[in-house]
Amino acid sequence: MDELDRNILGLLGADARMSVATLARRLKVARSTIQARLERLETGGIIAGYTLKLGEAAREGRLRASVLLTIEPRAQAGILSRLKAIPEVERVHSTSGRFDLLLQVAATNTTVLDGVLDQIGALTGVKSSESLIHLSTRIDRAV
């Protein structure tokens, strides 16, 4: 990736709906150059897709939590397959350090969230869990 690729990604990160023509105009290059770069970034796996980023107004009414799991050795595959069946589990990251997995969970209310946390903690192979309820987003640079 060169500077032009990074600039394209930066502009699309701010507005994924930006047209090829607008990208070309802002970056002062030909439309065909932008189109070729986008195709290369897509086929190379740099751009995995174009999506919508919800604002705070859309996230109102949803409780979010990070759940830190310590799991039994060799239990990860089974736990991951069971986590996929829980719709409130949005993301799962493997980690280094004290915890093995970091989950991002979202629920409509505290009762649902409590049930989901109990369900996760009861999974076979989970040794311990720790939950952190998100109160507000102070910085969000996710692309």
Side-chain angles (χ1 to χ4, degrees):
M1 267 191 3
D2 63 11
E3 186 176 349
L4 179 57
D5 291 337
R6 285 188 290 279
N7 289 336
I8 291 169
L9 293 175
L11 288 172
L12 288 175
D15 180 4
R17 295 179 52 189
M18 191 173 294
S19 69
V20 172
T22 303
L23 284 168
R25 195 169 42 257
R26 291 220 182 139
L27 297 172
K28 297 179 175 49
V29 295
R31 289 181 68 210
S32 59
T33 299
I34 296 295
Q35 189 62 51
R37 292 295 183 111
L38 287 172
E39 288 174 16
R40 186 172 51 79
L41 290 167
E42 290 166 1
T43 58
I46 303 294
I47 295 177
Y50 301 86
T51 188
L52 147 78
K53 182 178 176 182
L54 297 177
E56 283 300 318
R59 288 186 268 191
E60 281 184 20
R62 288 180 53 186
L63 292 172
R64 300 177 89 71
S66 293
V67 181
L68 303 160
L69 297 183
T70 303
I71 62 175
E72 298 284 343
R74 296 181 292 285
Q76 185 167 320
I79 289 172
L80 288 175
S81 69
R82 290 189 295 281
L83 289 172
K84 285 179 185 175
I86 303 173
E88 291 83 4
V89 176
E90 295 181 331
R91 288 188 177 88
V92 179
H93 304 279
S94 59
T95 63
S96 63
R98 233 171 42 147
F99 299 98
D100 301 302
L101 296 174
L102 167 65
L103 287 56
Q104 181 178 318
V105 176
T108 54
N109 59 54
T110 55
T111 304
V112 172
L113 181 59
D114 193 39
V116 169
L117 295 176
D118 287 345
Q119 187 178 0
I120 291 168
L123 292 175
T124 302
V126 172
K127 289 168 56 176
S128 69
S129 67
E130 185 174 329
S131 305
L132 306 165
I133 309 302
H134 301 198
L135 300 176
S136 64
T137 302
R138 304 297 178 139
I139 298 172
D140 184 357
R141 292 191 183 117
V143 176

